[in-house]
Amino acid sequence: MTNNKRPITSEDLTKIEIFSDPQFTPDGKAYTYVSTIINDKNEYESNVYYQKLTQEPPKQWTYGHHKTSNLAFSPNGKKAVFQSDRTGVSQLWLLHTDGGEAKQITTFKNGAFNPAWSKDGRYIIFSATLDADDDIHNQKELSKEERQKETEEKRKEPLFVNRLKYKANGTGFLDNKHTQIIRYDMVHETFEQLTTADADHSYQDISPDGKYLIFAANLSPNADYELNHNLYLLDSDTKEVKKLTNDEGSYYNASFSPSGDKIAFFGHEYQYAGATLTEIFILDVRTGQRTCLTKDFDVQIGDAVASDTRLGSSKTGPVWSKDETSLFFIATDFGSTGLYEVTLDFKINVLYKNDNHVYGFSYDAGSGSFILGISTPTNPCNNYLLTQDFSLTQLTHSNDAFLKEVEVIKPETLAIPAEDGLEIQGWLLKPFGFKEGEKYPFVLEIHGGPHAMYGQTFFHEMQLLAAKGYAVLYINPRGSHGYGQEFVDAVRSDYGGGDYSDLMTAVDYALENYSFIDESRLGVTGGSYGGFMTNWIVGHTNRFKAAVTQRSISNWLSFYGVSDIGYFFTKWELGHHLLEDPAKLWDFSPIKYAKKVKTPLLILHGELDYRCPIEQGEQLFVALKHLRKEVEFVRFPGADHELSRSGDPNMRIARLDEICKWFEKYI
């Protein structure tokens, strides 16, 4: 470690630039990406950048203290459409790529988003949130004052609830509006509504001849009781809808092959409930025959890496090769994500994989090259060119100034033998300013999900704790993605069992192999499932000097009814729901073991968290306080379940400061 660099701080969150959505220009000579920062107003700001592959410096294409994203090029590359909230709500804007000001093309009351082009460049297809009786030809964008007035008036009205799915984390209480698919005619500058069903429609792709659209939805009359998500084919002329998939699974990211003869998509049939690995399918448009290309690939398709420095969406596949013989995609495997290829005769090829996190990619059919968005444990993000001969060239140098200023600790990868013979992967960060022969306090971090994965990516929170002088251990206990179907399924119906054993075994391993860790000064923290496990740990062992539980679950009995996913997630993960076996749910509830807690516990919770509602934190706090335990409760107004990842920057910094203060006080 160098001594001339300073340690990372919580406020450094505002100095990190985050990239997303890399995509080639149609001619393959350049690419664009979205850059997100936290500006001097402590607000998120996203803009589009353009860079030629000659490695000329990137050029900023959009400006302003707004969120701009989802840029899509016209087929000839002369125009681009993007969404931006520069007028207060997300609308679509048209930009000539040779210069000039962007032109606003939608003024929908509830906004417009996710634009795409027809293959001939005549139409822009996009999504909009509409009431059943909305007239798309008479949409008026509300002013800031009008939106504020409408919000205030809504607060004075009672909320009538008559369906099971009536709220969602990050959205709040749901109304009767639905996402519909709209087509904008570039020639006549007119709008046409393509879908009207009483359901949310997710646009996927348009056929090469422009006649058919694919969308994902649940159009079943029993949709309120189902989690299925089917793919449908829509005839854009007749509006006839044809279901492409069965009613047994969830399917998404569909795309037509270049010829239009086949459709590729991700999905699964819930064989292992929420722990089911995603597969890649192709469907023959003419015969309707469906084939799974990855049935023997025991790896999670897509990006399951947990991080607090990822903002904005990026393509993870599947993407067709030019000759339609294979598909490209990102997969999550053993702590890393990489770029893969699957051929139509079921062969899997690794195109790029290293000890890092590939979070998005773009493919150029002309050159056979890829743009990769990559994060490493010591660098938040950069864009790279991967050529057909597998040569990798770095195109951007994001965060260079920041990384020259601060000390970033490179984690050591661990292979930890579990009690039953499984191997558990983890990482250890040494504390800032580490000196041989000295003893250091220690923090165990536990990820959420539980079906997610810590991995080879930049994690500001881990670096912050190391900067504060802690050795930091983070592992992937059973239940995590990245180690096959059996491993990710192993936690179900066994919360607090094998997963708890894996975590304690990992702590023991660290203490046995790293003499600089002070075994009398141990801390533990985690969020969501990691918060549940933190609660479980302090109720089952007193080895930790301090604990911080975040957006946690403490009582599965009430979680069933208060969470936006409780009614199905409880059954999925524990094997029972409230009405089947309440005694079993109580046994799984950390609050049952409140009398055994001796570890000082800090409870952090967002007040608008509908995934793990704040009453979970309230119950645990009241129980422990009533028992005169050492406990504090910090509530974050306006924050939902995504607080640590994409919440209000000020709240994110405050959260990090509270974690550090608690550990400093008790460890």
Side-chain angles (χ1 to χ4, degrees), residues 267-294:
H268 63 68
E269 294 184 353
Y270 295 113
Q271 297 94 323
Y272 299 88
T276 310
L277 294 187
T278 300
E279 306 280 11
I280 298 179
F281 298 88
I282 57 169
L283 184 140
D284 187 297
V285 174
R286 183 177 59 84
T287 66
Q289 180 180 352
R290 189 184 70 168
T291 304
C292 179
L293 298 179
T294 53

Side-chain angles (χ1 to χ4, degrees), residues 254-274:
S255 63
F256 280 101
S257 63
S259 67
D261 293 339
K262 296 181 179 65
I263 296 170
F265 52 95
F266 288 165
H268 63 68
E269 294 184 353
Y270 295 113
Q271 297 94 323
Y272 299 88

Side-chain angles (χ1 to χ4, degrees), residues 3-78:
N3 294 321
N4 60 340
K5 293 185 177 182
R6 65 172 178 82
I8 280 179
T9 68
S10 58
E11 289 81 6
D12 282 334
L13 197 64
T14 66
K15 297 183 178 181
I16 298 173
E17 184 179 19
I18 300 174
F19 291 169
S20 62
D21 196 23
Q23 54 176 303
F24 273 105
T25 54
D27 62 9
K29 296 179 180 179
Y31 75 102
T32 60
Y33 62 94
V34 175
S35 169
T36 300
I37 62 170
I38 297 173
N39 61 30
D40 53 11
K41 297 180 180 179
N42 257 356
E43 297 173 341
Y44 294 110
E45 178 181 309
S46 301
N47 279 296
V48 177
Y49 283 73
Y50 166 94
Q51 185 181 28
K52 292 183 179 179
L53 297 186
T54 54
Q55 295 192 63
E56 294 178 14
K59 295 180 180 179
Q60 189 169 346
W61 262 16
T62 65
Y63 294 85
H65 301 308
H66 314 293
K67 294 178 185 177
T68 297
S69 63
N70 287 29
L71 181 138
F73 286 100
S74 63
N76 63 13
K78 293 183 178 180

Side-chain angles (χ1 to χ4, degrees), residues 616-635:
Q616 293 286 307
E618 290 173 329
Q619 287 191 61
L620 186 59
F621 172 74
V622 169
L624 293 175
K625 198 67 177 177
H626 189 213
L627 293 168
R628 298 179 184 272
K629 307 287 186 177
E630 192 66 39
V631 61
E632 285 188 16
F633 185 25
V634 181
R635 305 168 65 111

